[in-house]
Amino acid sequence: KEDFPKAEQILRTGIEKVNEKQELYCRLGDLYFLQERYEQALRLFEKCMEEYPDYSFAYVKYSDSLRANEQMQEAKAFLVDRQSQFQDDVEFLINGGMSLLYHGDVHEGLDLLEKGISLIHYNWEEPMNEYVQAIEEHALFERGIAYLTREIAKKSELTFAFLTYKAILLHKCQNSSWKAIFDEALQLNEQVFTHAQLAEALFEEEEYEEAKVHFLYCLEHNSQNIHYLFRLAEMANANEESQEEIAYLKQIFEVDYKQLDSSYFFSIIEKEEAEQYIQRIEADEDGLQNPTTINFLAYAYGAIGDSQKEKELVLRALQMDEDDVDIVGHQIQVDMAQGRWKQAQMSVLS
């Protein structure tokens, strides 16, 4: 908040000096919005719309400011009434639709999103994800599938994506044709996106062997994606393939060890290996400035049986962040394991 006056002055100076002011108007309006100075924000967005009537972003921000100013119906009507003005403006349709959805105007939001999605050629994942999520959340499967089917019939460069999202909705509403639609999407355009969505659907159905094929395809194209590695490890665990599970967890360690369940990881690998991994964590000087990393290391020592070192590290992490729920929980575990019931009870109550 202390930086707001300085930022305001910089933006106002910029507005005075430049010819194209629309972006700076909106930035200054956003600044007022963040300070809950909604009347001033509204005036800035109004000024922007007056001087730059085709700059659609200002219209969406104006509507958001109306809502923040508790003018709910006016905000909704403002966006809906400008559909014809911006019927070919992808940004207005997408941003306006997402704003309406976020504020609970589901059908109006879907109307704008559908019109916007029909016009996009790139950066399609976020709006389409929002669309499908809203369809699923409000159980409007018939509407969503009908819309996607119409888009598929247009045979555009995004037909594979529309097929993929249709398959997702068919799976969610337990329509048996979902696999065939996924296959159709892959035959049209073999994208990691489609493989990943099919893998998730197969994972949910516990069809692990087939899911594994698609997750491995995804991993081949993005070896740093931890989500794929976790899924592969989960399936290996479910199939009681412990060595395969360990191999995937080790790959996760190489990408970002802090994402692992430390106590579990160090309990299933050999002690000699565990000690080598601990040495690598201790060599991470930057990481050891973080209480989460220290707590992770504490779990590692606990897993190899060094309870004294575990206790020391937990206390060190707690000194750095006494409000971290995971660290407090770990301290309680350590106290209880050592029979320190009173200390554990005090930690629970504090």
Side-chain angles (χ1 to χ4, degrees), residues 174-241:
Q174 300 181 322
N175 184 305
S176 61
S177 65
W178 62 272
K179 279 189 182 180
I181 303 300
F182 270 124
D183 288 342
E184 189 178 344
L186 287 171
Q187 288 169 15
L188 190 65
N189 194 338
E190 192 168 15
Q191 292 274 344
V192 170
F193 166 73
T194 303
H195 277 282
Q197 299 301 323
L198 174 54
E200 288 295 338
L202 291 165
F203 180 85
E204 287 182 26
E205 297 296 324
E206 298 185 4
E207 297 182 26
Y208 294 144
E209 288 305 311
E210 196 176 346
K212 179 180 177 181
V213 171
H214 294 284
F215 277 125
L216 286 172
Y217 178 92
C218 296
L219 194 63
E220 183 181 338
H221 290 78
N222 186 355
S223 61
Q224 301 295 298
N225 190 304
I226 287 177
H227 176 75
Y228 304 148
L229 290 166
F230 269 120
R231 282 291 194 239
L232 288 162
E234 286 179 71
M235 291 187 291
N237 178 278
N239 291 329
E240 299 182 352
E241 296 168 343

Side-chain angles (χ1 to χ4, degrees), residues 76-91:
K76 174 181 172 181
F78 182 80
L79 285 182
V80 172
D81 291 347
R82 277 150 187 81
Q83 288 185 71
S84 57
Q85 180 182 349
F86 294 108
Q87 59 184 345
D88 297 318
D89 189 313
V90 173
E91 288 195 9

Side-chain angles (χ1 to χ4, degrees), residues 244-255:
E244 187 173 323
E245 179 190 10
I246 289 170
Y248 289 128
L249 294 178
K250 286 180 178 179
Q251 284 183 254
I252 293 170
F253 186 99
E254 299 301 330
V255 178

